[in-house]
Amino acid sequence: MDIIGTIMAAGRSAVELSLFTLLPVMVVMLSIMRLAEAAGLLDGLTRLLAPTLRPFGLAGLSIIALLQVSFVSFAAPVATLATMDRQGVSDRHLATTFAMVLAMGQANVVFPMAALGLDVGRFLAISLLGGLIAATMTYHVFGRHLSSEGPGEDAVARHAIVEDARGILAIINRAGGEAFRIATGSIPIMALSLSIIAAVRAAGGLDGLNWLLSPPLDWLGIDPRLITPTLSKYLGGGVAALGAMADQKAAGEIDAQFVNRAAGWLVHPLDLPGIAILTTAGTRVAKLWVIASVGASAGIFARATIGMIGGA
């Protein structure tokens, strides 16, 4: 096996995916989000939706996190979770918001996946449902023993970027710089995960896994083509899964129907890189990741089930 050649090919794929697929989408979506912040639209939306989402255990700041993960990236809610931690939002509300974020599709994978045939509108609707299920299960079941004391429902976001930005052009430039950091920051983990997957494939590991797992997966009604992107996803995150699926699509192994059916299972931040990055938001966030992950699993299961049925 040509190890150096495998690493170089994986690195090239990671760079192309990050700079030519992920970056343009992130620049546009981040610019829209930052302009909406500057215009006060997000604060108005938070005040409008907070009473509706209160029964799910979501606080005012939770809505900002919901919009960030859906329209910016999986890492964007770190700032909001850090603010909630710093402002003393209750553990129960904090765990609920964390679970919601983990259960929803991240924009840095969702919008580029449209190029593979993903129905983005349908996906976002199912993603929202999964996030609300995760929040409900965390607040009312898995996290009911956590403290509810704090400013949970009334906390509001503070937009430092809005205060510093001068004019529309400055906002767009800031958003572009943030998008570039997100896109380039995904290159190392994506290159590593794609290298591992390529090495396993070259060594016959994927063929062995397919041979071993295909019969039980077929019996369960699960498509064996999920093995490669699933391995990529949980090792390297959603962007790595996107890279694996892009390779499968280029090779003619999958089609748009497969992409739409698999998205609920593959596109969310509940993986090793996602947990590692999101728990940097604060000490309380890091302590609550297990409860949040259990709650998020309920939402992801619901999303995957709906996707498999509706995408058939």
Side-chain angles (χ1 to χ4, degrees):
M1 180 175 62
D2 183 3
I3 297 178
I4 300 300
T6 298
I7 294 173
M8 293 294 290
R12 186 162 48 249
S13 296
V15 171
E16 290 176 353
L17 189 62
S18 295
L19 297 185
F20 301 118
T21 300
L22 180 58
L23 180 58
V25 173
M26 294 306 301
V27 169
V28 174
M29 297 309 301
L30 264 171
S31 296
I32 293 173
M33 284 290 293
R34 296 315 180 204
L35 289 170
E37 284 181 355
L41 295 178
L42 290 188
D43 289 336
L45 188 62
T46 298
R47 288 191 292 269
L48 179 65
L49 295 180
T52 303
L53 297 181
R54 193 167 295 153
F56 300 100
L58 297 173
L61 283 171
S62 305
I63 301 170
I64 300 298
L66 184 155
L67 293 172
Q68 287 172 327
V69 71
S70 297
F71 296 103
V72 181
S73 79
F74 82 97
V78 168
T80 299
L81 291 171
T83 299
M84 295 177 74
D85 191 331
R86 187 172 59 253
Q87 291 184 357
V89 170
S90 72
D91 285 354
R92 195 174 180 187
H93 284 97
L94 188 56
T96 298
T97 302
F98 193 5
M100 176 198 68
V101 169
L102 289 174
M104 297 187 68
Q106 68 266 46
N108 58 301
V109 175
V110 174
F111 292 101
M113 197 173 281
L116 304 182
L118 181 67
D119 184 342
V120 174
R122 175 178 176 273
F123 177 89
L124 289 176
I126 297 174
S127 173
L128 176 60
L129 177 62
L132 293 179
I133 290 173
T136 302
M137 293 299 294
T138 303
Y139 188 79
H140 294 289
V141 180
F142 304 119
R144 65 183 184 278
H145 63 284
L146 297 174
S147 171
S148 298
E149 297 180 1
E153 297 178 354
D154 299 322
V156 294
R158 295 190 179 97
H159 304 307
I161 291 180
V162 174
E163 295 171 1
D164 297 336
R166 301 191 179 188
I168 295 176
L169 184 59
I171 294 173
I172 294 174
N173 285 336
R174 293 286 293 270
E178 189 177 350
F180 185 79
R181 287 192 295 274
I182 292 172
T184 54
S186 70
I187 292 176
I189 189 66
M190 196 193 319
L192 179 60
S193 61
L194 290 178
S195 297
I196 293 173
I197 296 300
V200 171
R201 181 187 288 114
L206 288 181
D207 291 336
L209 279 174
N210 280 312
W211 176 82
L212 180 66
L213 297 177
S214 288
L217 290 178
D218 282 334
W219 183 77
L220 292 171
I222 300 174
D223 195 328
R225 292 176 295 178
L226 281 170
I227 294 173
T228 298
T230 296
L231 186 60
S232 301
K233 189 264 185 306
Y234 289 98
L235 282 175
V239 177
L242 173 62
M245 294 180 75
D247 289 343
Q248 287 179 310
K249 184 73 180 294
E253 298 175 6
I254 63 174
D255 54 17
Q257 184 186 58
F258 175 87
V259 172
N260 282 281
R261 295 185 66 188
W265 168 249
L266 294 172
V267 185
H268 53 78
L270 185 55
D271 48 49
L272 291 177
I275 293 292
I277 291 174
L278 289 169
T279 51
T280 62
T283 54
R284 286 198 297 138
V285 177
K287 291 177 181 178
L288 295 169
W289 78 268
V290 174
I291 292 175
S293 297
V294 173
S297 298
I300 293 168
F301 178 78
R303 286 182 51 206
T305 302
I306 294 171
M308 288 294 180
I309 295 174

